[in-house]
């Protein structure tokens, strides 16, 4: 792995560059009775590696903003939060901005989160996480079960948010984000060809792959297969009004 870093923490990040790209992440062998579709996905996703960012608060910020809203709303809220501070990233990258720090998140008046397209409950959770950010960072080096407990000790962070963080940035190959709106039905459709599906059924279908159930979910999601939509899409709320901005 060749890497170059800039600014404060550059040396720290270079030492962890292998984790960032999942250099030491490898899938376990599949059981003999693995579903044919899972074997197919294992081949097509052979190059997919789980990343460890070692930046737990930054990782949680994106996941918390995904609670209770559509993907489009989540991305809009995150973008607005970053733009509220407009802190340039170090290095030769014009226009690249840093994610908000715990201190910056704590500085947002609670009533102003709505102007950023962030629902107040999300904002309150982010500020709770910001208050214990140092304790959350310790979870990066914990065993998956201990890390999940540490994240869920924050008011407003439950199994879905902690599971998404574990799977999409902490390298936890066996963590499954329960409580997701789409994942259970996608797993059921991929493995059974059936619509519907709930967490209980999903966990049963994934049980043969214990040790890498989350990885299998990543494979299934990467395939882009999902049951045909038969209802209206979730509505996207109206854009927020004039955005709050930090007065640095």
């Amino acid at each position: 792995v060749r890497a170059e870093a800039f600014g404060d923490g550059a040396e720290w990040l270079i030492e962890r560059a292998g984790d960032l790209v999942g250099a030491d992440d490898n899938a376990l062998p599949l059981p003999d009775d693995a579903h044919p579709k899972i074997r197919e996905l294992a081949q097509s996703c052979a190059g997919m590696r789980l990343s460890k960012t070692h930046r737990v608060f930054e990782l949680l910020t994106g996941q918390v903003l995904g609670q209770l809203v559509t993907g489009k709303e989540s991305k809009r809220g995150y973008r607005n939060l970053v733009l509220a501070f407009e802190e340039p990233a170090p290095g030769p990258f014009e226009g690249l901005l840093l994610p908000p720090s715990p201190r910056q998140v704590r500085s947002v008046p609670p009533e102003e989160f709505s102007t950023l397209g962030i629902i107040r409950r999300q904002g309150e959770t982010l500020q709770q996480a910001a208050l214990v950010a140092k304790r959350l960072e310790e979870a990066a080096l914990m065993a998956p079960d201990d890390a999940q407990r540490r994240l869920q000790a924050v008011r407003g962070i439950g199994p879905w948010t902690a599971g998404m963080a574990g799977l999409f940035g902490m390298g936890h190959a066996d963590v499954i984000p329960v409580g997701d709106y789409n994942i259970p039905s996608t797993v059921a459709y991929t493995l059974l060809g059936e619509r519907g599906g709930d967490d209980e059924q999903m966990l049963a279908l994934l049980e043969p792959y214990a040790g890498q159930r989350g990885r299998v979910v990543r494979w299934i999601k990467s395939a882009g297969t999902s049951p045909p939509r038969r209802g209206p899409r979730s509505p996207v709320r109206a854009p927020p009004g004039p955005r709050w901005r930090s007065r640095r």
Side-chain angles (χ1 to χ4, degrees):
V1 176
R2 295 173 61 92
E4 188 174 7
F6 305 86
D8 296 338
E11 184 177 346
W12 178 91
L13 183 58
I14 289 293
E15 292 173 354
R16 293 160 179 77
D19 284 347
L20 192 62
V21 298
D24 295 326
D25 177 59
N26 291 290
L28 299 173
L30 292 173
D32 293 338
D33 59 348
H35 192 286
K37 184 62 177 178
I38 298 301
R39 292 195 177 278
E40 178 186 327
L41 289 172
Q43 282 193 319
S44 64
C45 298
M48 179 186 291
R49 294 174 180 268
L50 302 184
S51 172
K52 297 180 183 178
T53 70
H54 292 281
R55 301 296 299 162
V56 179
F57 178 78
E58 293 171 5
L59 179 62
L60 278 174
T61 300
Q63 303 305 339
V64 168
L65 294 181
Q67 296 175 343
L68 308 172
V69 298
T70 65
K72 182 178 291 187
E73 290 173 302
S74 173
K75 292 174 183 177
R76 184 178 68 191
Y78 186 84
R79 179 177 184 273
N80 288 342
L81 185 59
V82 170
L83 290 175
F85 298 98
E86 290 190 303
E87 185 171 352
F93 309 106
E94 185 176 353
L96 184 64
L97 303 177
L98 291 175
S101 68
R103 177 185 58 79
Q104 290 171 328
V105 167
R106 292 198 302 268
S107 75
V108 181
E111 66 274 10
E112 295 293 346
F113 278 110
S114 62
T115 72
L116 300 173
I118 296 171
I119 60 179
R120 183 155 182 159
R121 177 173 165 184
Q122 293 173 328
E124 291 172 349
T125 299
L126 285 179
Q127 293 191 323
Q128 288 293 316
L131 288 172
V132 293
K134 289 185 178 180
R135 294 279 288 163
L136 289 174
E137 297 304 327
E138 296 171 1
L141 299 178
M142 291 179 175
D145 287 349
D146 293 335
Q148 290 290 300
R149 282 191 287 270
R150 176 65 61 88
L151 300 188
Q152 291 182 55
V154 176
R155 188 170 73 243
I157 294 179
W160 180 84
T161 305
M164 292 292 281
L167 183 57
F168 288 93
M170 299 178 75
H172 297 166
D174 197 45
V175 169
I176 306 173
V178 295
D180 190 82
Y181 183 74
N182 292 310
I183 292 177
S185 60
T186 300
V187 170
Y189 186 73
T190 300
L191 299 183
L192 301 176
E194 299 176 357
R195 292 178 56 85
D198 54 23
D199 283 336
E200 183 178 0
Q201 182 187 47
M202 175 181 68
L203 292 173
L205 289 171
L206 296 175
E207 181 57 33
Y209 312 101
Q212 55 183 351
R213 295 173 300 171
R215 188 189 307 277
V216 171
V217 169
R218 290 286 304 271
W219 290 346
I220 290 173
K221 284 179 64 64
S222 74
T225 56
S226 60
R229 295 181 181 273
R230 292 183 179 174
R233 290 179 178 271
S234 299
V236 176
R237 282 168 262 235
R243 292 199 302 268
W244 176 85
R245 288 186 180 275
S246 171
R247 297 178 179 177
R248 289 184 293 157

